[in-house]
């Protein structure tokens, strides 16, 4: 059974710092991996999607990497800002699910960026 | 485009009552799904649909019913509410349009916060 783990559960950093959020998964046979952002009381917003054949994706100050063989993904946030404060979730689609929207989520890392 | 719209945003039920959480998307997406989010448990898949008339169970389907009569709508029914169903419910659609390649990107609604007393 696929399990997704995110460490740490919470992180507090000063503004301007570069930081890395970690995601690990137990079954390397994934279809894709996504990183989401969730603000308090809100829904999830997709940040980056990495297909199983890709190694990384970039969007602005965000860079996500994928290493299927080790079952790991990292989300790198450059020059963090207070507006980056949110909960970040990673989720995988297992290989047998194609792209039907059957995601397995980690429990998230809650990030606080202090001015 | 409104994206994925969920109603109601908040609901309080008594044990044993039934209700329907509504979900609609205007992106002509083929795939839709329902998740529940609980503290310490993360998001878990309840039911999903790969097209009109086709639904299947996710990880935690018991106590819930779904149907997909149109591409746009995917309602979630609670048959007899229990306190264990107190949660935040999210509907999502996946970034695939009919006849096009599937990007795999999920679009989420704002959530429906349900309390069962």
């Amino acid at each position: 059974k696929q399990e997704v783990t995110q460490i740490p559960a919470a992180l507090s950093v000063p503004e301007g710092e570069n930081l890395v959020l970690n995601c690990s998964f137990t079954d390397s046979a994934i279809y894709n991996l996504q990183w989401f952002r969730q603000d308090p009381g809100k829904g999830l917003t997709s940040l980056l999607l990495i297909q199983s054949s890709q190694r990384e994706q970039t969007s602005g100050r965000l860079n996500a990497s994928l290493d299927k063989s080790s079952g790991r993904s990292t989300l790198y946030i450059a020059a963090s800002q207070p507006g980056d404060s949110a909960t970040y979730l990673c989720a995988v689609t297992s290989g047998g699910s194609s792209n039907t929207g059957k995601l397995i989520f980690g429990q998230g890392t809650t990030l606080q960026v202090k001015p | 485009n409104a994206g994925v719209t969920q109603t109601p945003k908040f609901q309080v039920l008594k044990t044993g009552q039934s209700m329907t959480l509504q979900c609609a998307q205007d992106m002509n997406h083929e795939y839709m799904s329902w998740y529940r989010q609980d503290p310490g448990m993360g998001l878990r898949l309840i039911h999903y649909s790969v097209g009109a008339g086709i639904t299947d169970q996710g990880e935690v389907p018991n106590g819930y019913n779904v149907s997909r009569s149109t591409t746009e709508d995917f309602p979630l029914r609670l048959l007899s509410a229990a306190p264990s169903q107190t949660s935040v419910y999210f509907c999502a659609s996946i970034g695939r349009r009919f006849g096009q390649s599937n990007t795999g990107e999920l679009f989420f609604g704002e959530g429906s916060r349900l309390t069962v007393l």
Side-chain angles (χ1 to χ4, degrees):
Chain A
K1 177 184 175 185
Q2 178 75 268
E3 293 183 359
V4 180
T5 304
Q6 292 184 248
I7 295 174
L11 183 63
S12 181
V13 301
E15 182 177 4
E17 192 164 295
N18 301 327
L19 58 101
V20 174
L21 306 182
N22 296 295
C23 173
S24 62
F25 46 94
T26 56
D27 185 350
S28 62
I30 64 170
Y31 192 87
N32 60 38
L33 182 144
Q34 298 186 58
W35 283 93
F36 295 89
R37 169 182 173 140
Q38 185 176 28
D39 293 294
K42 299 293 186 180
L44 281 70
T45 300
S46 179
L47 297 174
L48 290 165
L49 170 80
I50 311 177
Q51 303 293 352
S52 62
S53 58
Q54 297 174 324
R55 296 298 300 269
E56 66 176 351
Q57 283 285 334
T58 299
S59 175
R61 293 182 294 108
L62 305 179
N63 175 274
S65 67
L66 174 64
D67 184 344
K68 279 203 317 178
S69 61
S70 66
R72 295 182 185 275
S73 175
T74 61
L75 178 66
Y76 175 82
I77 302 177
S80 59
Q81 303 171 358
D84 295 330
S85 298
T87 297
Y88 292 81
L89 299 110
C90 75
V92 300
T93 303
S94 291
S97 302
S98 71
N99 245 343
T100 56
K102 294 172 63 178
L103 268 61
I104 308 296
F105 281 85
Q107 296 196 21
T109 295
T110 298
L111 171 66
Q112 182 184 32
V113 180
K114 297 179 178 179
Chain B
N1 287 349
V4 179
T5 303
Q6 291 184 233
T7 57
K9 288 185 169 29
F10 300 93
Q11 183 71 49
V12 179
L13 291 178
K14 295 181 180 178
T15 297
Q17 287 184 318
S18 63
M19 77 157 298
T20 299
L21 300 178
Q22 302 290 346
C23 176
Q25 53 93 7
D26 60 0
M27 297 172 282
N28 200 29
H29 285 169
E30 193 172 11
Y31 300 154
M32 297 183 73
S33 49
W34 276 101
Y35 292 83
R36 59 177 289 175
Q37 185 175 34
D38 302 290
M41 302 293 291
L43 280 92
R44 293 176 292 168
L45 181 65
I46 305 172
H47 285 285
Y48 68 101
S49 169
V50 299
I54 307 171
T55 64
D56 204 348
Q57 296 181 348
E59 183 183 355
V60 288
N62 293 341
Y64 306 96
N65 201 2
V66 292
S67 59
R68 184 96 179 271
S69 57
T70 67
T71 300
E72 293 78 19
D73 300 300
F74 190 41
L76 178 72
R77 297 182 186 84
L78 279 71
L79 308 174
S80 177
S84 61
Q85 293 178 305
T86 294
S87 186
V88 181
Y89 292 85
F90 289 99
C91 178
S93 69
I94 201 161
R96 169 191 166 103
R97 293 182 176 81
F98 287 98
Q100 298 180 4
S101 60
N102 191 342
T103 66
E105 181 181 3
L106 249 65
F107 294 83
F108 279 82
E110 293 275 295
S112 296
R113 287 152 183 80
L114 175 67
T115 301
V116 183
L117 302 175

